[in-house]
Amino acid sequence: MDQNFSANLRRLRKQKGLTQEQLADAVGVSAQAVSKWEQNGFPDTPLLPAIADSLDASIDALFGREQEGVPDIFDQVLQYLLSFPKEDQIHQAFDLCWVICEMMFGSPHHDPLEKYHVDADNNARYAQTTLENGFLQAKLNRTQQYFLLMPEPESGYDELLSYSERYVQFFSVLASPDTLRAMYFLLESNAPSAPLDLFFTKQTLAHALSIDDAHAQQIIEQLLSVSLIAKASLDTGLKQESIYTYIPNCTFIAFLTFTYTLLNTPNYYCLQANHRPNPFFRNATYRNTSGAEKKDSN
């Protein structure tokens, strides 16, 4: 019951838009007392009516007794996130991911994210667990945070991620001179919320990267070969001109994020557990030198 009370108190307080200090002032206690209640403590019984009144809730609501049967946890999570301003929702969602992370490590209580961000030596902190049917990885420092929970399909990770010469081509393109710089330029120039994608020409790229038109055209052809940009035609009335566009996509940011993690091997894990008895890839697709490309049908 105490655990339910702590979670409900925290949820109702945030829904009301109160800080711990504001709730403490309304009830007549210290902010430390409210913090203790939300961490797994319990107030003196005579304080319960004042707490409920301050939150515009019933005492039953504090104990999660207002709904009959099993509560719809998905609806509760939805309503919880909607109770925050839109600009804060992604941070609250990440905090919920951290709760999932702790649960998978067997922790019965939720510790605040702040204590895990950075240690005294400013080392980035990671959490990682590998399971027989999937894995979880999270990065928690202040300048970069991510959470990846990846269940393994019955056919294995390499059903879709099997060795392919397409990957060789992709990495070769990014390794070509100035091509990765071009991707950074396009990511900076295109806003996903813009009403129209930014169209550019080889001259646009040449000017941005301070290279000649021939080199810019070579980069464009390479990016087209791995579908990182798209080609269109502009009719000026006098001639047809080739123009190009990069469709804004956060996938490349995710790609760079995990590349960064590979290049900077984690040296500190605040949570780590390995329970996987089998290798991640199991079908020896690297023996297929033709590198047949797998298509994602979903």
Side-chain angles (χ1 to χ4, degrees):
M1 180 178 292
D2 288 357
Q3 274 189 314
N4 290 337
F5 176 87
S6 297
N8 290 330
L9 176 64
R10 182 168 60 250
R11 174 177 57 81
L12 292 169
R13 174 181 62 78
K14 291 183 176 181
Q15 285 180 352
K16 183 65 176 176
L18 298 177
T19 64
Q20 291 182 341
E21 290 78 10
Q22 290 171 328
L23 178 58
D25 289 340
V27 178
V29 298
S30 67
Q32 289 78 9
V34 175
S35 177
K36 182 180 178 181
W37 300 341
E38 293 188 357
Q39 289 298 318
N40 236 16
F42 193 78
D44 293 335
T45 303
L47 292 175
L48 289 175
I51 295 172
D53 290 345
S54 300
L55 299 174
D56 291 334
S58 66
I59 294 177
D60 275 347
L62 288 170
F63 290 95
R65 292 170 54 87
E66 286 198 333
Q67 298 185 27
E68 296 182 359
V70 179
D72 185 344
I73 185 62
F74 302 105
D75 184 65
Q76 288 186 12
V77 170
L78 174 62
Q79 295 305 317
Y80 171 76
L81 292 176
L82 289 175
S83 69
F84 293 93
K86 199 161 189 69
E87 62 271 18
D88 294 335
Q89 289 174 1
I90 190 169
H91 301 292
Q92 298 301 323
F94 189 79
D95 199 18
L96 292 175
C97 291
W98 178 241
V99 175
I100 294 172
C101 183
E102 291 180 308
M103 178 276 297
M104 294 187 69
F105 281 92
S107 174
H109 309 301
H110 173 48
D111 290 320
L113 276 175
E114 287 75 10
K115 67 181 289 186
Y116 292 106
H117 278 311
V118 182
D119 63 14
D121 296 322
N122 202 37
N123 291 318
R125 298 190 174 208
Y126 292 80
Q128 178 175 281
T129 181
T130 59
L131 304 169
E132 186 174 0
N133 59 346
F135 66 87
L136 177 154
Q137 187 184 84
K139 185 177 181 181
L140 305 167
N141 68 321
R142 295 187 188 280
T143 55
Q144 187 183 58
Q145 299 177 358
Y146 66 77
F147 179 88
L148 175 66
L149 177 61
M150 193 167 179
E152 183 173 10
E154 291 184 5
S155 55
Y157 289 120
D158 48 358
E159 173 65 21
L160 184 64
L161 302 177
S162 60
Y163 174 84
S164 171
E165 292 295 329
R166 181 78 165 160
Y167 294 147
V168 177
Q169 180 188 9
F170 178 82
F171 293 126
S172 297
V173 164
L174 291 183
S176 299
D178 296 316
T179 305
L180 187 57
R181 289 179 60 220
M183 286 302 301
Y184 272 84
F185 163 69
L186 295 174
L187 284 163
E188 186 173 328
S189 302
N190 286 263
S193 59
L196 294 174
D197 299 329
L198 173 67
F199 288 89
F200 65 96
T201 66
K202 65 180 178 182
Q203 289 82 9
T204 309
L205 200 59
H207 176 75
L209 302 182
S210 299
I211 58 178
D212 59 44
D213 287 0
H215 188 25
Q217 186 61 45
Q218 181 184 32
I219 291 173
I220 286 172
E221 295 301 328
Q222 290 174 328
L223 294 177
L224 285 170
S225 72
V226 291
S227 303
L228 285 176
I229 62 174
K231 182 178 181 179
S233 182
L234 175 65
D235 186 351
T236 66
L238 299 175
K239 64 176 182 177
Q240 294 282 337
E241 183 177 357
S242 294
I243 58 175
Y244 310 91
T245 185
Y246 170 70
I247 301 173
N249 194 322
C250 60
T251 305
F252 200 80
I253 297 298
F255 168 77
L256 291 174
T257 296
F258 287 103
T259 301
Y260 179 92
T261 302
L262 284 171
L263 294 174
N264 299 272
T265 304
N267 57 9
Y268 189 97
Y269 290 90
C270 59
L271 295 174
Q272 184 179 28
N274 296 305
H275 304 292
R276 187 179 181 87
N278 302 312
F280 286 105
F281 289 156
R282 58 195 188 193
N283 294 320
T285 61
Y286 62 88
R287 298 180 187 276
N288 179 13
T289 55
S290 63
E293 181 183 1
K294 293 291 184 179
K295 297 291 186 181
D296 188 351
S297 58
N298 297 317

